[in-house]
Structures are given as structure tokens and as C-alpha cells.
Amino acid sequence: MKLLQKLLIIALLTASKPVVIEEWIDFHCPYCVKFVKEVLPKIEEKYGDDVILKINHLPLTDLHPNAKKVAEAAVCAERQNLFWEMHDAIIDNNAQTESQLISIASSIGANAIEFEMCLRFGQATKKVENDMKKASELGVTGTPFFLIEDVPIGGYAEFESFDGLISRALKQETRLSLKDIDPPIKGKIIIDPRCGERCEKVSTSFLNNYFPTLEIEKVYMTNDSIPWSPYVTVDSNITKAYRFGDIARNLRQKGNEFIIRPAVLSPVFINKDIAKDGRPQLGESDKNKIVLYTSFTCPYCAKQVEEVFLLEGEMNITFKHFIRTQSDVVFSQIAECVNINRPERFWQFSLALLDSIPQDEEALFQMFSSMTGLSKEIFESCKTDEKIIDIMVEDMEEANMLGIDATPATVINNFMYVGLVRKKDLIELTKNEKMEEENDS
């Protein structure tokens, strides 16, 4: 593809030069493919050589077992200056196996022996693992993930999102940099001492990435009116910055100041008790506690629930609704209907609903009826049941209070993570937090 060949320059440039889009990709991620096929051509059509794409690899092997080997194949092709040819062929053919990759390499003109040696003897492994390490340091857990001149876009986004960021980045020299704003921006980070070193690490990383030129006051205190920690605020002078339009998506305005979204700081310490009475639960109450805020139309929520469901014997798990779309309203109503009328079937029904979203209400009823044995009359009545509506509203009000605006959001022993947390990481996190609690006591 000529577009991709034009974007082959892989180097970070200054603001006066072309805008850099840095992407973390999993070749088997459907939204990564969607970006390549639907969004990237529009970017090239409008901006041409004013945009440079830098590819990093983040194979999500828990979801796509062959993704790491495929990423290594792309790196092996890159060593022969055939990265984009390999990139396109992998996506077009949904290549999975080593034999497929070797065949593709041969078809695009690669030296077959050199490519096969590279792939089979792990010569590209270090590059892929370095990309994965960098993603981990940035807190990136899913694909696609983009940085546009250091401004993040987590997940798939339409062309309009990129268009706005690119056009502003190209004009940014006419705006003020953070250090040139007068009066200087004032900011504060409030850290709850109970959060410990984790909040220190998160806040330091955040400041280095977003406000490297600013002095922001750190305050250590426990305040029941502050729902999460670290709690970062900056004053309204931030609106004068050339990057304000870009970073505004990560801010919430409160009076004359702006609060940084918890999703940007993840994980954050939750300084509030989460209501669990009457909510679907699995596991004994004395186990490690996990609360899931889940949207039925969220692609990674299905995987998150599956991962957590496997830990039923080791964790106490609570389910909460999060409404992203109109479809979520109906799906949550019916899931809650199952919880009220057939509570023993709730988790199986929710997993089925997440895995295979019904295309219409008739298909939803068929799923509901076959898994619960409940009637059409109950199905219809649940869609107008005030009790169910109140439960959903309470879940959303609580999510809003905790600053949750993206899913999956998972609270593990008072620490909230936004994005997919895999089973092995869940186990490790609960161990670490239990040790911290024992040390504090």
C-alpha cells in the first residue's frame, strides 16, 4: 500500500515537522484492522507527508495466542525493509501460523532463509518485548492505542478524532507552551497515605508525561470528600495552553479548576465504600474483593468478566452496571431481571450476553427464555420495572462519583484499574495488596 510506504519513516520529530502518530498494535485485534482499513486512508488523503506513523507491537496473547509470533514476523520483514508489505499481507490474510508467515514473506520478496532463521531463532523477540515493556510503563493494556505528539487515544477512534488532534498539532507553534503561560499554572496532587508507593509512582509518571515543565504541589492527606487518590487538579490557566484542546478529554471541570480523570492515572486508590447489598456476587465475603463495572456493549468487558469468573473460588466478586449506549439500557435491565428472578443464572446469562450480543429484542428474549425458563410477560415487565431502573441509576451514580467514564473498570481491594486486567495479573495484584495491608497493620 503506497500510503503505508509513505509513512515508513519511524522517528520522533519536533513540533515544526510532521505530526507523529505512535501506535501500539496487535495484528489480530479487529479494531487495529479497522483503523488500518477505514481511518488511516483518510488521514493520508488529507495530510499526506505531514503525518508519520510509528508502529509498536503489543500482542495480546491471552486473547490472540498467535499474535506475538505474528508481531515477530513483521519485525523480521522490517529487517529486510519489507515491514509494510508484511503488515498489509498479515492483515489481508489474517495470518496465524508460522507456515503462513513464511509463505507470505516469500510472496512479498523476502529472503526466505534469512526470514525463517529470524523467526524460528527468536531474533525479533527482543524488539517486540521492548515495545510491550514500553506499553506497560505507559499503562497501556489494550489495542489499538495511539499517541499523537504525546496525546493519548485509547482504543479505536473515528477519523474525526485524529483529524482534530493532527490539525491542532500542526498549528501548535502559534500557541503558548505550558512553561510560557502567565500567570503560571498552579496544580496540586493529593495523595492518601493509605495508597502508599503505588500512588507516588503513578503521580510521578503522570507528571512526567503530561506536565514535565510544571511544579505541582504534592499534599499527603486523608480526606473523605475526595473519592480517589492520587487526586490531581490544575487551575483554569491550563485552557491557555496549546495542548489544552488535546488533553481536555482527560480533564473534568469542577468550578475554577480541572480534575484529571482517574482512567488516566489508573490504578487509583478508592477512598469510598462501594455498595454491594443486593448486587450479584460470587465467592465468600472474606476473600479478596473485586468489583466489576461492566458495559454489555464494551468489547473488552466480556474478556474481563471471563477472567474474573475463573477466580470464583479465590475472590469475592461483585457486578455493577455501566451504561455506554442505548443498547446497554435494555441489556442491563434484562440481566438485572435475571438477577432478581433467577439469581443462580445471572453470571452465566451475563457471560452469554457479553459473548454474543443479540441483534434485536426477539433474539434477546430467546436467550433470556432458553437460559432462565422465564416468560415473555416477565421479560416485558422488567423493561419498565422501577426497581431495576433504580438499581441501574445507583450503579451509574456511584461510577460517576468514582470518576469512572470508561470500561471495563475493576476495583481490586480498593484499587481501581481501567482497562482489561488479565487473570494472572489479578492474582498478582491481590497478592501484592494483601501484603501491603498486612504490612500496614
Side-chain angles (χ1 to χ4, degrees):
M1 184 184 291
K2 290 183 179 180
L3 155 68
L4 295 174
Q5 292 169 347
K6 286 182 180 179
L7 299 177
L8 182 56
I9 305 170
I10 302 178
L12 292 175
L13 305 177
T14 65
S16 61
K17 295 182 181 179
V19 173
V20 176
I21 300 177
E22 192 168 4
E23 178 187 9
W24 275 262
I25 183 175
D26 175 326
F27 280 99
H28 294 158
C29 156
Y31 288 105
C32 296
V33 174
K34 186 176 174 70
F35 169 77
V36 170
K37 291 183 177 295
E38 299 182 13
V39 178
L40 199 51
K42 295 178 182 178
I43 293 174
E44 161 31 58
E45 181 181 356
K46 180 167 182 178
Y47 293 102
D49 293 337
D50 285 336
V51 171
I52 292 170
L53 180 65
K54 179 184 185 298
I55 293 291
N56 301 285
H57 300 281
L58 182 56
L60 306 175
T61 51
D62 286 356
L63 293 170
H64 312 127
N66 299 321
K68 189 176 182 185
K69 181 62 69 175
V70 172
E72 291 176 7
V75 175
C76 289
E78 182 180 356
R79 293 171 68 156
Q80 299 188 44
N81 295 321
L82 292 168
F83 174 81
W84 292 112
E85 290 84 349
M86 192 70 180
H87 172 282
D88 294 350
I90 289 170
I91 288 177
D92 290 341
N93 295 282
N94 190 28
Q96 300 276 344
T97 66
E98 189 172 283
S99 61
Q100 284 179 301
L101 295 167
I102 292 171
S103 175
I104 288 173
S106 179
S107 72
I108 63 174
N111 181 307
I113 295 175
E114 182 181 332
F115 178 87
E116 191 168 343
M117 291 284 287
C118 173
L119 189 60
R120 291 190 171 173
F121 289 94
Q123 295 174 12
T125 301
K126 185 176 181 179
K127 157 65 176 166
V128 173
E129 291 182 347
N130 283 343
D131 286 356
M132 295 169 69
K133 181 181 178 182
K134 184 177 178 182
S136 178
E137 290 170 351
L138 291 171
V140 179
T141 59
T143 57
F145 179 85
F146 305 91
L147 288 175
I148 302 180
E149 299 294 342
D150 296 329
V151 179
I153 295 181
Y156 176 79
E158 298 292 348
F159 168 72
E160 289 72 18
S161 296
F162 290 91
D163 187 27
L165 292 174
I166 293 168
S167 62
R168 282 193 290 271
L170 288 170
K171 299 173 184 176
Q172 67 182 16
E173 291 180 295
T174 64
R175 303 184 186 120
L176 292 172
S177 65
L178 293 174
K179 61 183 176 60
D180 294 329
I181 292 174
D182 185 28
I185 297 172
K186 293 181 180 179
K188 180 183 290 186
I189 296 180
I190 300 175
I191 297 178
D192 191 312
R194 292 171 294 179
C195 184
E197 292 182 4
R198 187 168 301 177
C199 278
E200 282 284 359
K201 183 178 179 181
V202 168
S203 62
T204 300
S205 174
F206 170 79
L207 287 178
N208 289 340
N209 286 335
Y210 278 79
F211 304 119
T213 62
L214 300 186
E215 291 290 334
I216 294 185
E217 178 188 9
K218 282 189 179 181
V219 177
Y220 298 86
M221 64 182 294
T222 297
N223 186 332
D224 291 339
S225 68
I226 296 175
W228 66 81
S229 174
Y231 189 83
V232 186
T233 64
V234 291
D235 67 35
S236 58
N237 274 336
I238 189 67
T239 60
K240 299 177 183 178
Y242 71 75
R243 284 184 58 192
F244 177 73
D246 303 336
I247 65 175
R249 58 184 282 148
N250 293 319
L251 306 173
R252 287 180 163 197
Q253 188 164 9
K254 186 177 181 181
N256 293 323
E257 63 183 11
F258 290 87
I259 302 166
I260 308 300
R261 295 172 54 226
V264 180
L265 303 168
S266 177
V268 296
F269 176 77
I270 297 299
N271 185 28
K272 294 287 182 182
D273 291 330
I274 295 176
K276 298 178 183 177
D277 291 345
R279 309 308 297 119
Q281 293 188 43
L282 278 176
E284 301 298 326
S285 60
D286 60 345
K287 301 289 185 181
N288 284 295
K289 293 175 173 55
I290 293 180
V291 180
L292 292 171
Y293 290 86
T294 302
S295 157
F296 284 104
T297 59
C298 153
Y300 286 106
C301 288
K303 183 62 178 176
Q304 187 65 83
V305 174
E306 289 173 3
E307 296 282 286
V308 171
F309 192 75
L310 295 172
L311 300 172
E312 175 186 359
E314 304 170 50
M315 314 282 178
N316 174 259
I317 305 161
T318 303
F319 184 98
K320 298 272 187 170
H321 298 286
F322 189 89
I323 308 301
R324 297 170 64 244
T325 68
Q326 183 60 39
S327 296
D328 271 320
V329 175
V330 178
F331 294 153
S332 292
Q333 286 174 316
I334 301 307
E336 200 56 44
C337 184
V338 175
N339 183 48
I340 292 171
N341 293 282
R342 292 284 191 273
E344 71 281 3
R345 298 293 180 88
F346 172 82
W347 291 96
Q348 289 83 356
F349 179 80
S350 295
L351 276 172
L353 187 54
L354 284 160
D355 283 336
S356 180
I357 297 175
Q359 297 302 307
D360 52 42
E361 284 201 15
E362 182 56 32
L364 177 61
F365 170 69
Q366 292 302 324
M367 179 185 290
F368 171 82
S369 177
S370 64
M371 296 190 71
T372 66
L374 296 171
S375 67
K376 183 78 168 182
E377 182 180 3
I378 292 175
F379 176 87
E380 293 295 337
S381 67
C382 284
K383 291 191 292 182
T384 56
D385 190 316
E386 291 294 333
K387 181 180 178 182
I388 290 176
I389 293 172
D390 288 344
I391 289 170
M392 293 163 56
V393 169
E394 288 170 7
D395 283 358
M396 284 301 296
E397 287 178 343
E398 182 179 70
N400 185 62
M401 180 267 295
L402 296 177
I404 297 172
D405 53 15
T407 55
T410 308
V411 180
I412 306 170
N413 291 342
N414 288 102
F415 282 90
M416 182 171 74
Y417 297 78
V418 179
L420 178 63
V421 185
R422 295 171 178 80
K423 177 185 173 183
K424 59 182 176 60
D425 297 321
L426 287 167
I427 294 172
E428 190 63 30
L429 289 169
T430 52
K431 285 181 181 177
N432 292 341
E433 282 152 20
K434 187 174 182 180
M435 288 174 62
E436 287 178 10
E437 289 175 1
E438 289 173 352
N439 291 336
D440 290 342
S441 61

